[in-house]
Amino acid sequence: MGDNRNEGAILHITGETRVYVVIGHPIAQVKSTHLYNSLAAQSSADVVFIPMQFSAENFERSVDGLRAFKNLAGIIPTIPHKPRMMDVVDSCSERAKIVGAVNSIRVEPDGRWIGDMFDGIGYVNGLIKNGHQPENKSFLLVGAGGAGAAISIALADVGVQRLRIVDIDQGKVERVITNVRANYPGVEIDTGPVIPAEFDVVANATPLGMASGDPLPISPKLLRSGQLVTDMIMKPAVTPLLVQAEAKGCFIQVGYEALLGQASANMDFFGLAS
């Protein structure tokens, strides 16, 4: 993935420009601001997308501050704020309620915050765009946080055959499994040993791989040639897991594909679709 900072996204910011913020901690890995500014420029919308970093310890006062800005048009939460932002929106979609997190918030003219969740939709759209049909396939999903929960719901919605979810937080795993079983009884879902070779697709939905020195979410030795291995991480563009998976003979899909996959849905949600 090349550096495309000099392409597109010519911004004309005035006192009337509406502001969208991408919030997270860390924030340096975020690629969405460039993408969304480019899309906004194509639609001639007078908006700008900017990154904003604050930690979980500063969450409440940061949210209070965002509530005070009268030119705030929307929020795109990323790690680690997606689940907590669910508690501060004024209303949200059924999809977000099932997942238990939001990754997109639209600020209405009356000041209400409306939340939705597009992580899973973006991931599935990325798969399909690249010729990987998830229907009737088996998935090993590592990570049951906001992104993992969203992916599990989106995969169930398109009719995967089998889904195994693993996470160090067993409470998160059980919550995702309960939600999928309640809403998609035809999907075979469980947790258990991490045996990647049993599955068509291995998906990392944890932040492991973002920081130098992170342990791998799974051992590449357990992969088999011909599997699809995917990651949701944006930076590095090709994570250590994907590098080793490709060396093992696996197909790979980088995290940026999921971002592209959710862009059109998100722009439509914001009322910015061209």
Side-chain angles (χ1 to χ4, degrees):
M1 183 76 60
D3 187 339
N4 58 0
R5 287 176 293 178
N6 295 323
E7 299 174 8
I10 299 174
L11 304 178
H12 302 281
I13 300 175
T14 72
E16 296 182 346
T17 301
R18 301 278 289 166
V19 178
Y20 292 84
V21 294
V22 182
I23 60 172
H25 182 72
I27 204 70
Q29 80 284 356
V30 163
K31 302 289 187 182
S32 58
T33 49
H34 177 84
L35 173 61
Y36 283 100
N37 282 320
S38 296
L39 293 172
Q42 293 170 22
S43 68
S44 300
D46 189 8
V47 301
V48 63
F49 290 77
I50 63 171
M52 186 174 291
Q53 180 172 342
F54 59 84
S55 66
E57 290 77 12
N58 291 318
F59 180 85
E60 291 182 358
R61 64 176 179 170
S62 298
V63 169
D64 286 343
L66 289 173
R67 285 275 190 188
F69 291 114
K70 301 305 180 185
N71 61 341
L72 182 68
I75 305 168
I76 299 177
T78 185
I79 294 170
H81 301 315
K82 297 176 192 179
R84 288 185 74 179
M85 290 303 289
M86 178 80 178
D87 296 328
V88 301
V89 296
D90 297 295
S91 65
C92 64
S93 67
E94 287 302 314
R95 172 173 51 232
K97 290 177 183 178
I98 294 172
V99 171
V102 296
N103 80 327
S104 189
I105 299 168
R106 183 180 67 241
V107 179
E108 298 284 50
D110 62 4
R112 289 179 303 123
W113 287 10
I114 311 300
D116 211 328
M117 168 51 72
F118 298 115
D119 272 344
I121 290 173
Y123 176 76
V124 168
N125 286 347
L127 291 176
I128 294 171
K129 173 191 169 188
N130 288 285
H132 305 294
Q133 293 293 336
E135 185 178 3
N136 295 322
K137 295 294 195 306
S138 60
F139 282 72
L140 172 63
L141 178 60
V142 183
I151 290 170
S152 69
I153 295 300
L155 288 173
D157 198 45
V158 295
V160 297
Q161 186 267 327
R162 180 187 178 204
L163 182 59
R164 171 164 291 175
I165 302 176
V166 294
D167 194 291
I168 58 173
D169 188 332
Q170 195 60 28
K172 289 182 179 179
V173 171
E174 293 302 328
R175 183 181 185 281
V176 172
I177 289 175
T178 298
N179 284 339
V180 171
R181 284 177 176 163
N183 292 278
Y184 302 93
V187 175
E188 180 185 341
I189 184 169
D190 65 14
T191 188
V194 179
I195 310 175
E198 293 183 357
F199 298 86
D200 299 313
V201 183
V202 177
N204 177 39
T206 77
L208 292 176
M210 283 175 52
S212 177
D214 275 351
L216 294 174
I218 62 167
S219 171
K221 295 179 181 179
L222 301 177
L223 299 171
R224 58 174 169 80
S225 178
Q227 283 180 295
L228 173 64
V229 180
T230 71
D231 215 320
M232 291 291 283
I233 291 171
M234 301 292 163
K235 186 178 182 181
V238 183
T239 62
L241 172 64
L242 296 184
V243 169
Q244 296 199 38
E246 196 168 34
K248 190 74 182 284
C250 300
F251 299 102
I252 66 170
Q253 179 168 298
V254 300
Y256 193 73
E257 293 295 334
L259 179 63
L260 290 173
Q262 69 175 274
S264 61
N266 219 347
M267 292 295 279
D268 185 61
F269 176 66
F270 289 141
L272 300 175
S274 56

